[in-house]
């Protein structure tokens, strides 16, 4: 497994989080960064993988437990997991023969913050 340097998406050079969708129009660079994350989530297999990892008790799951849930080869599952890692949504660690995955909560929080519309004064959800 290579040690790729991941760019934290949705942050500017100060480390500040991206603005909410309704706060201001996106800049070109910020839109390109967010599009990479949404593109990773735009595939049903990757969306299911992310859901399976995020909902796992203990916060992590072995790839050996993910693969049987799909009618896909192990290399195809690994490819989808790699794209989720490159998008900054999950991380992993090799332990012996197996690789364990977990969700990066800050990445999901950034997406949630971006998509959340501000509530008008006096309106409750």
């Amino acid at each position: 497994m290579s040690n790729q340097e991941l760019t934290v998406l949705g942050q500017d050079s100060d480390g500040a989080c991206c603005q909410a969708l309704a706060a201001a129009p996106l800049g070109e660079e910020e839109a390109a960064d967010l599009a990479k994350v949404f593109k990773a989530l735009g595939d049903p297999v990757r969306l299911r993988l992310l859901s399976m990892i995020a909902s796992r008790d203990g916060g992590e799951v072995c790839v050996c437990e993910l693969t049987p849930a799909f009618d896909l080869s192990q290399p195809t599952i690994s490819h989808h997991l790699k794209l989720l890692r490159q998008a900054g949504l999950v991380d992993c660690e090799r332990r012996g023969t197996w690789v364990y995955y977990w969700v990066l909560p800050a990445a999901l929080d950034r997406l949630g913050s971006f998509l959340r519309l501000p509530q008008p004064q006096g309106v409750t959800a």
Side-chain angles (χ1 to χ4, degrees), residues 60-82:
E60 65 182 27
V61 62
C62 177
V63 69
C64 65
E65 297 173 74
L66 296 170
T67 305
F70 298 90
D71 190 24
L72 299 169
S73 68
Q74 186 277 326
T76 301
I77 297 297
S78 292
H79 171 73
H80 285 295
L81 290 165
K82 175 184 170 186

Side-chain angles (χ1 to χ4, degrees), residues 49-60:
L49 284 167
L50 184 67
S51 174
M52 291 171 71
I53 296 166
S55 64
R56 184 61 165 215
D57 285 339
E60 65 182 27

